[in-house]
Amino acid sequence: DSGVTQTPKHLITATGQRVTLRCSPRSGDLSVYWYQQSLDQGLQFLIQYYNGEERAKGNILERFSAQQFPDLHSELNLSSLELGDSALYFCASSQTGRNTEAFFGQGTRLTVV
Amino acid sequence: GENVEQHPSTLSVQEGDSAVIKCTYSDSASNYFPWYKQELGKGPQLIIDIRSNVGEKKDQRIAVTLNKTAKHFSLHITETQPEDSAVYFCGKGSASKIIFGSGTRLSIRP
């Protein structure tokens, strides 16, 4: 158990809908990362937050947004969902977000039908 | 400059033999190079990492080498065992994010 909690574990929704994925980082970690893993694909970096502030952005679609709250949990919002958004979404956390080990959660499997 | 290239994409080795996975990058800002192992149905887990001021690091059967001049780094697994079967990702980290390679699916043949 990495200490990073992601909910829900599975999510099935229809095209055009909006969903929210939640991540609770390890105790003491200030930084949260979001990654997307499509079938048989690598880990695509979406976005990183540190202590509530956005620190880095990757190839995140405009339909996607995220935030990190004062209690350090983070949410990834996906809207106007398309079939191609079906993927595993991972959250990871680290102490500082700079050149340190990132601990991954178990992921949320999103299926868009 | 942001990507990291990882080869091979699949690797099958006989149990007991060694496995080597290689990654290359092109930017100069990266100074942290982790390797993650992802087992089926699980999140990636760090197995070893190396920083740019070190050329080699070893942890039991696993070693990582870094050539910062040539901008490539490699994962070496010796005396492979069935439990080494998984997908392995190399990563490169800078001040703000970790970018991962496309992964190597390692299979250990009995």
Side-chain angles (χ1 to χ4, degrees), chain A residues 61-94:
Chain A
L61 299 172
E62 285 190 11
R63 300 183 285 109
F64 297 0
S65 65
Q67 54 185 323
Q68 186 179 27
F69 294 87
D71 67 352
L72 301 176
H73 91 271
S74 179
E75 293 181 355
L76 179 66
N77 301 296
L78 315 176
S79 62
S80 303
L81 284 167
E82 302 174 359
L83 295 178
D85 297 328
S86 295
L88 261 173
Y89 290 84
F90 284 105
C91 168
S93 74
S94 71

Side-chain angles (χ1 to χ4, degrees), chain A residues 89-106:
Chain A
Y89 290 84
F90 284 105
C91 168
S93 74
S94 71
Q95 281 189 330
T96 65
R98 294 182 188 273
N99 302 328
T100 58
E101 178 178 0
F103 294 84
F104 280 78
Q106 295 290 311

Side-chain angles (χ1 to χ4, degrees), chain B residues 86-99:
Chain B
V87 178
Y88 292 81
F89 292 98
C90 65
K92 68 178 184 79
S94 59
S96 59
K97 57 192 172 187
I98 303 175
I99 302 297

